[in-house]
Amino acid sequence: MILGLFSVTEIDFIDHVKAQSSQVFRINVEVTNNGNTDEYGTVYVNIIDSPAVDGLGAQHFPLGETISFEFVFDSKEVPIGKGFVAEVVYGDDIHKRVYGMNTSNNYSENIAIIIT
């Protein structure tokens, strides 16, 4: 009887670990400010043809520095081959966009955006 409980618990644990490892898709956005002054704005990531969007407002982009942001989505919304757009909006409504695509379930996608 105890052996039977151990087997169920072990199977549940293995299923839980598998589910956790495949549930998220990560996008790392690095924003480099090569402009003339510090800037302030918002960083967005939008999954193309999907309602999935995430954003971080009121961000500071110091002059001459690179700031990293991580966005996490449900992997079901972003299968391999699915496109996304990363965007920084700063200053007087200046938009910088970079398009990307999920190329692998096992790795994060890295995007670089440069403020000039």
Side-chain angles (χ1 to χ4, degrees), residues 10-116:
E10 185 177 53
I11 291 169
D12 288 344
F13 176 75
I14 291 169
D15 288 343
H16 177 72
V17 170
K18 285 180 182 176
Q20 278 189 329
S21 66
S22 64
Q23 287 184 345
V24 297
F25 170 63
R26 298 178 194 283
I27 301 170
N28 299 312
V29 179
E30 290 187 347
V31 180
T32 301
N33 182 355
N34 288 340
N36 298 321
T37 63
D38 285 2
E39 294 289 350
Y40 296 86
T42 303
V43 181
Y44 294 99
V45 173
N46 182 22
I47 307 305
I48 296 173
D49 297 327
S50 168
V53 65
D54 195 5
L56 298 168
Q59 298 301 307
H60 178 214
F61 310 114
L63 176 63
E65 293 186 28
T66 299
I67 307 295
S68 297
F69 304 91
E70 180 181 69
F71 294 89
V72 179
F73 294 91
D74 185 326
S75 62
K76 292 176 187 171
E77 295 178 334
V78 195
I80 292 177
K82 185 79 167 172
F84 61 88
V85 59
E87 178 178 25
V88 174
V89 181
Y90 66 96
D92 292 328
D93 203 28
I94 299 169
H95 296 254
K96 297 281 184 166
R97 293 182 185 102
V98 175
Y99 293 86
M101 181 187 330
N102 182 3
T103 60
S104 172
N105 278 336
N106 299 321
Y107 297 98
S108 299
E109 297 296 332
N110 298 306
I111 298 295
I113 299 177
I114 299 175
I115 294 174
T116 55

